[in-house]
Amino acid sequence: MTETILANAVLVLPDDCFRGQIRLEGGRIADIAEGSGVPAGAIDCGGDLVMPGLIELHTDNLERHIEPRPKVNWPHAAAIIAHDAELASVGITTVFDALRVGSVVSNAKANYGEYARALADEILGLRAEGALRISHFLHLRAEVCSETLIDELAKFGPEDRIGIVSLMDHTPGERQFRDIGQLEKYVCGKHGISAAEFEDHVARQKALTARLGQAHEQAAVQAARRYGAVLASHDDTETAHVLRSAEHGAHFAEFPTTVEAARACHEHGIKVMMGAPNLIRGGSHSGNVAAQVLAEAGLLDIVSSDYVPSSLLSAGLMLGDLWGDMARGIATVTAAPAEATGLADRGHLQPGARADVIRVARIGTAGAVRGVWVQGRRAA
């Protein structure tokens, strides 16, 4: 049975940090002890941080590997394996791969076709073959402003490792893009459409939500229950949005766009998740509330790397420095996301927990990953 001892490290526990050593054996954390000694055969960490593996709840990173350039479709097995390796290299040991369900099939120019079921089969197939380094679950992003959501949800079941279903509403003028001007910049810049085509897009999408939005929202809530997945809201902007999320039983809120919404989430027992790029850049790229504002107000619980995998570790360290409490900062990228998704076996350093552990060297305010172990085996 393989044993690994990481010694002379600063161990980041759920509520404390101290110099000590940790022993990994049989895929679990076998023992934790204080002290700076280095037993024979142990890895001398030289004062580096040793913490739980990072847990990513919402990442668009796989999309970048699948389509590295507009209209360039990369071989999926190679893309998934590269995505997996990239996440391992930055300390992420558990990921919920975000896949959109709900498509627009009546307008080919929308570039919003169905893909989730086929890609999920490829991810799960590679996992079953042992080809992936880290632990993968699925996160279905249920787009209510679509034509096919109910049919696509029906293609998934409890056997598909779906951990999260999030309620997405990208209706023009709502939530993240309630500012139509911001939406126009985003859509026209991404898809290269004209102003007239954009106006047509807005009219089509608003009509779609008016016709199917309510039925789609209810179907997504019911599907989450059928899968055994937790429910998340997305881009809550007003207290009314949060009240609806609470009625549906949402566990956490992805990227609320205002202080009002974040505060309402806390009042209704819903954890708040923000993007690490927002925190690191000092603000939202789409003009919404800054993650640091929520952190300083005590309204930030969970962090997601969103579209930059390496940002997850940086954000945890940054929050540790901001709050003067490294254990609390690292918990936003380890224990808190584990708790929000019901993963009781990981996200914390304690005997008996899954041996997903990373070693990190501080370089100024940044962090460099020097080792990653998944179930006690070296993964990066």
Side-chain angles (χ1 to χ4, degrees):
M1 189 175 292
T2 303
E3 176 187 78
T4 300
I5 300 175
L6 305 175
N8 190 25
V10 175
L11 305 180
V12 184
L13 275 67
D15 301 307
D16 192 18
C17 299
F18 59 76
R19 185 73 65 119
Q21 65 182 41
I22 184 168
R23 180 164 61 89
L24 316 179
E25 187 175 4
R28 298 283 168 178
I29 296 173
D31 185 58
I32 293 174
E34 292 192 53
S36 57
V38 182
I43 298 172
D44 184 351
C45 293
D48 288 347
L49 298 172
V50 168
M51 64 184 70
L54 311 183
I55 298 175
E56 174 54 63
L57 301 189
H58 177 130
T59 174
D60 302 333
N61 188 60
L62 179 54
E63 295 177 5
R64 180 172 61 84
H65 285 276
I66 294 291
E67 190 177 358
R69 289 287 187 273
K71 299 181 181 180
V72 173
N73 188 24
W74 203 251
H76 287 186
I80 294 164
I81 290 169
H83 159 68
D84 170 76
E86 181 181 1
L87 298 190
S89 74
V90 296
I92 296 170
T93 56
T94 296
V95 62
F96 289 74
D97 290 310
L99 307 177
R100 172 183 49 79
V101 283
S103 307
V104 175
V105 296
S106 63
N107 179 13
K109 289 184 178 180
N111 191 30
Y112 217 65
E114 179 180 349
Y115 72 95
R117 179 68 264 185
L119 187 55
D121 286 340
E122 292 176 289
I123 295 169
L124 296 173
L126 288 170
R127 176 185 174 274
E129 293 174 20
L132 304 179
R133 304 183 190 201
I134 70 172
S135 180
H136 287 254
F137 294 88
L138 301 183
H139 172 169
L140 297 186
R141 306 172 67 208
E143 179 54 69
V144 302
C145 184
S146 67
E147 296 171 334
T148 64
L149 179 59
I150 293 174
D151 289 342
E152 290 190 48
L153 289 170
K155 296 177 182 180
F156 290 88
E159 69 281 0
D160 287 315
R161 288 179 67 83
I162 300 166
I164 304 168
V165 174
S166 57
L167 291 169
M168 314 284 292
D169 184 359
H170 287 106
T171 306
E174 296 291 333
R175 297 182 181 255
Q176 180 182 5
F177 288 118
R178 59 179 174 172
D179 183 337
I180 294 291
Q182 287 281 358
L183 177 63
E184 183 173 10
K185 290 178 185 177
Y186 176 78
V187 172
C188 294
K190 183 175 182 180
H191 300 293
I193 65 174
S194 67
E197 288 173 320
F198 174 73
E199 288 183 10
D200 181 60
H201 164 77
V202 168
R204 283 172 177 266
Q205 294 303 101
K206 286 186 174 182
L208 196 54
T209 296
R211 181 163 56 92
L212 295 173
Q214 187 172 357
H216 280 175
E217 187 169 308
Q218 290 299 326
V221 172
Q222 292 167 8
R225 293 172 184 158
R226 180 167 63 88
Y227 306 148
V230 303
L231 189 72
S233 64
H234 189 83
D235 292 338
D236 290 327
T237 302
E238 305 166 358
T239 298
H241 293 155
V242 177
L243 291 175
R244 198 156 80 235
S245 300
E247 289 173 1
H248 291 322
H251 283 223
F252 65 97
E254 299 188 306
F255 322 130
T257 66
T258 63
V259 174
E260 173 193 340
R263 197 178 306 281
C265 283
H266 271 208
E267 290 171 355
H268 289 85
I270 299 172
K271 299 296 185 182
V272 171
M273 182 172 86
M274 293 296 285
N278 178 326
L279 181 68
I280 292 164
R281 293 177 64 252
S284 164
H285 72 277
S286 53
N288 297 319
V289 68
Q292 185 166 336
V293 169
L294 298 187
E296 291 172 343
L299 297 173
L300 175 58
D301 305 296
I302 304 168
V303 178
S304 162
S305 70
D306 199 4
Y307 56 94
V308 185
S310 62
S311 68
L312 195 60
L313 174 61
S314 297
L317 296 172
M318 182 175 175
L319 287 172
D321 293 338
L322 176 68
W323 289 328
D325 184 343
M326 189 54 62
R328 181 185 174 194
I330 295 303
T332 65
V333 295
T334 56
E339 181 181 356
T341 50
L343 295 179
D345 64 341
R346 68 196 75 186
H348 42 263
L349 298 187
Q350 65 181 40
R354 181 180 158 111
D356 292 356
V357 175
I358 64 175
R359 174 187 173 188
V360 175
R362 292 302 303 266
I363 301 175
T365 58
V369 176
R370 288 186 167 174
V372 178
W373 290 262
V374 176
Q375 290 188 292
R377 296 181 180 180
R378 189 73 179 254

